[in-house]
Amino acid sequence: MELSLPSTFLPLSTPEYTLFRRNPHGPFFLRLKLSPNPALSRQTVIVTAQKKSKIDGVSDELNNIASQNLDHAPARRRVRSAFANVQQQLDHILFKMAPAGIRTEEWYEVNSEGQEIFCKSWLPKPGVRIKGALCFCHGYGDTCTFFFEGIAKHIAASGYGVYAIDHPGFGLSEGLHGYIPSFDAVVDNVIEQFKIMKGRPEIRGLPRFIFGQSMGGAIALKALLKAPNEWDGIVLVAPMCKISEEMKPPVALQQILIFLSKLMPQAKLVPQKDLADLAFRELSKKNMAPYNVISYSDQTRLKTAVELLNATESIESQVEKVVSPMLVLHGAADRVTDPRISQFLHDNASSNDKTLKLYDGGFHSILEGEPDDRILAVLTDIVTWLDSRTTLK
C-alpha cells in the first residue's frame, strides 16, 4: 500500500529515512521517502507484508498450523493447543528442570470491555504452605504460556502462588494481535484481573507482589502508580520504563508516527532487527524462540508504537512516586531495554527499600536466553528477595 503525507510533517533535510528496516532486499520493509514529490509536495509510505518463517524440527502439518493468520484469539488458541506438547519437550532448563507436582489452572475472565482474558495460576504442590502471591505482566508480543511456564513453576516450588494473564491482543486473550489502542486500558485490565485473583482463597490476606518483564515492567509500574496500596512490592526484569535519547525517533519522525497512527492505527511497521538476536545470549536458546508460536513477531502496529512511546514518557515523569519495595534485575549488555534506564529508575524512585542487580554480560532475556547457571541465579535472586519480605502466618 502507499500513503501520501503532507510535507509539513517531514524533515526535508534527509533524502530518505527507513523506519525499523531489517533488509531492504528481503521480502518486506517499511520506508518513508522524505524527499518531496515535485508535483504534489507530498511523501510516500511503502508498506509490504511479512512472510512467516518455517519452524525447523517440526512436521509440515505443524508448520501449516503455525502459519495461519493469528490476528484473532481463536486461531492463536488452536495453534497453542497444537504446539503445547512440543514446547514442553524442548531442551531448555526451564522445561527440563521444571519442578514436579506444581498445580496449574487455566481459565478465562470477561473484562469490563467485554474481552475474554486468558488467566493462569501455578501453586506449590499439595502440603507446601503458600508464602505470598506474585502476579506477572508479560512483555511486548509475548504470552504467559511458553517460557514463563518454567519460570512460574520454579517460583511456585519455592512457596508462592504465581498468577498471570495474557494482555488484550496478545497470547490467548481476545483482541487484534499485537494491537494496543490504549496503554492505559492494558494497565486497567491488569488491575481489574489481578484484583479478582488476589481474592482467591489460597492467597487471601497474604503478601502480594506485582512482577513485570520488559514492556510488562512498564505495565506493572503504571499499575503500581495507580494503586500503590494494592501491592507489597514490585519485581522488574529488564523493564521498559524510559527510552534513552539515542533510541528515540527524531522529533519530526515522532510527529509522522502520531499522524499515521490516527489515519491507520492498525497498520504495521517492521522491527529494525530480529529481537531474538538481541534478547538471547545463547544460540541454542535463541533457536527455541520460534516455538513460541503465538507470540507477536510481525511489524509493530502504528498505534501500538505511539502508545509505547507515550507510556515510557509518562513513567519517566513519575518514577519518584514509586515508594513500594522494589527489585530491579537487568542484563548489563541488554540492547533492547537499556540497563542505564534501570539505574535511573533505581536512583530516582522514592522507595526506601530498593535493590538493583545488573548481570555482567547479560542480554535482554536474562530468564530465558542466558546460560543455565545464570538463569538459575536470577530465579534464586527473585525468590530470595521475596522470602525476605514475606512472613508465614
Side-chain angles (χ1 to χ4, degrees):
M1 63 175 291
E2 292 192 359
L3 174 73
S4 294
L5 299 179
S7 59
T8 51
F9 285 90
L10 302 169
L12 301 179
S13 60
T14 307
E16 180 177 274
Y17 198 106
T18 298
L19 287 183
F20 305 108
R21 183 173 175 177
R22 183 178 295 177
N23 178 3
H25 306 294
F28 60 89
F29 64 105
L30 180 145
R31 183 168 60 202
L32 300 184
K33 292 183 177 179
L34 302 186
S35 55
N37 182 307
L40 300 176
S41 186
R42 289 176 177 267
Q43 316 301 324
T44 301
V45 177
I46 302 172
V47 184
T48 61
Q50 177 174 358
K51 183 179 179 181
K52 292 186 178 180
S53 301
K54 185 177 180 180
I55 302 171
D56 294 331
V58 303
S59 67
D60 289 341
E61 179 183 4
L62 283 177
N63 266 299
N64 286 336
I65 293 172
S67 67
Q68 65 184 282
N69 186 310
L70 300 181
D71 275 354
H72 303 292
R76 300 195 293 271
R77 294 169 188 175
R78 289 193 297 271
V79 172
R80 186 261 182 152
S81 178
F83 273 81
N85 290 333
V86 173
Q87 291 173 337
Q88 295 301 310
Q89 299 303 314
L90 291 174
D91 187 20
H92 193 291
I93 190 171
L94 289 173
F95 303 129
K96 290 189 303 180
M97 295 185 63
I102 300 302
R103 295 171 284 164
T104 64
E105 182 183 356
E106 297 182 356
W107 71 97
Y108 290 91
E109 296 279 356
V110 177
N111 69 8
S112 57
E113 299 296 320
Q115 298 169 307
E116 281 190 342
I117 302 300
F118 175 78
C119 306
K120 185 156 187 174
S121 67
W122 297 260
L123 300 179
K125 63 183 180 181
V128 175
R129 197 171 184 185
I130 299 176
K131 307 171 188 175
L134 186 67
C135 297
F136 177 68
C137 302
H138 68 73
Y140 172 73
D142 211 349
T143 170
C144 64
T145 62
F146 185 50
F147 280 131
F148 188 71
E149 295 270 8
I151 295 167
K153 288 179 179 178
H154 279 80
I155 296 173
S158 298
Y160 293 91
V162 182
Y163 302 84
I165 64 171
D166 282 343
H167 306 308
F170 295 94
L172 304 176
S173 291
E174 284 189 330
L176 179 63
H177 206 198
Y179 184 47
I180 301 177
S182 166
F183 197 86
D184 281 339
V186 175
V187 174
D188 290 342
N189 179 70
V190 160
I191 293 171
E192 179 182 358
Q193 299 307 319
F194 287 155
K195 183 177 181 180
I196 296 171
M197 292 183 183
K198 287 183 292 186
R200 291 168 68 93
E202 69 269 15
I203 56 169
R204 193 174 296 140
L206 295 179
R208 56 272 181 101
F209 302 86
I210 192 165
F211 175 18
Q213 187 172 20
S214 195
M215 181 193 78
I219 294 169
L221 276 167
K222 292 206 75 171
L224 180 74
L225 288 167
K226 280 193 170 187
N229 296 327
E230 289 295 311
W231 303 99
D232 294 292
I234 185 169
V235 178
L236 300 168
V237 174
M240 185 198 76
C241 56
K242 181 179 183 292
I243 296 178
S244 60
E245 291 304 317
E246 61 265 30
M247 292 298 292
K248 282 185 180 180
V251 173
L253 186 53
Q254 291 181 41
Q255 292 178 329
I256 295 172
L257 288 173
I258 293 168
F259 176 73
L260 285 172
S261 72
K262 294 175 181 177
L263 291 179
M264 45 181 194
Q266 298 175 5
K268 300 174 182 179
L269 298 175
V270 177
Q272 184 177 13
K273 295 182 179 180
D274 184 348
L275 286 184
D277 288 334
L278 301 177
F280 290 79
R281 182 149 64 115
E282 283 210 337
L283 177 61
S284 62
K285 293 183 173 71
K286 187 196 82 169
N287 291 338
M288 298 178 201
Y291 287 83
N292 191 2
V293 283
I294 62 170
S295 66
Y296 183 82
S297 56
D298 208 341
Q299 301 101 316
T300 306
R301 297 183 187 273
L302 279 163
K303 181 63 171 174
T304 299
V306 172
E307 287 296 304
L308 295 180
L309 180 63
N310 290 341
T312 58
E313 291 177 349
S314 171
I315 292 168
E316 180 184 354
S317 68
Q318 298 184 76
V319 292
E320 74 282 352
K321 297 179 182 178
V322 177
V323 296
S324 299
M326 179 174 66
L327 172 65
V328 186
L329 311 164
H330 214 134
D334 187 349
R335 291 183 291 158
V336 177
T337 56
D338 193 333
R340 290 174 296 181
I341 306 310
S342 283
Q343 185 73 60
F344 168 86
L345 172 63
H346 174 269
D347 293 346
N348 288 278
S350 297
S351 173
N352 293 321
D353 177 2
K354 51 187 178 181
T355 302
L356 171 65
K357 295 186 72 71
L358 297 177
Y359 299 91
D360 187 45
F363 281 23
H364 185 63
S365 297
I366 53 174
L367 280 167
E368 302 92 354
E370 295 288 295
D372 290 354
D373 58 346
R374 168 63 58 76
I375 290 173
L376 292 176
V378 177
L379 286 168
T380 297
D381 288 341
I382 292 172
V383 170
T384 300
W385 187 87
L386 292 171
D387 283 349
S388 68
R389 286 153 184 83
T390 57
T391 303
L392 289 175
K393 297 180 181 179

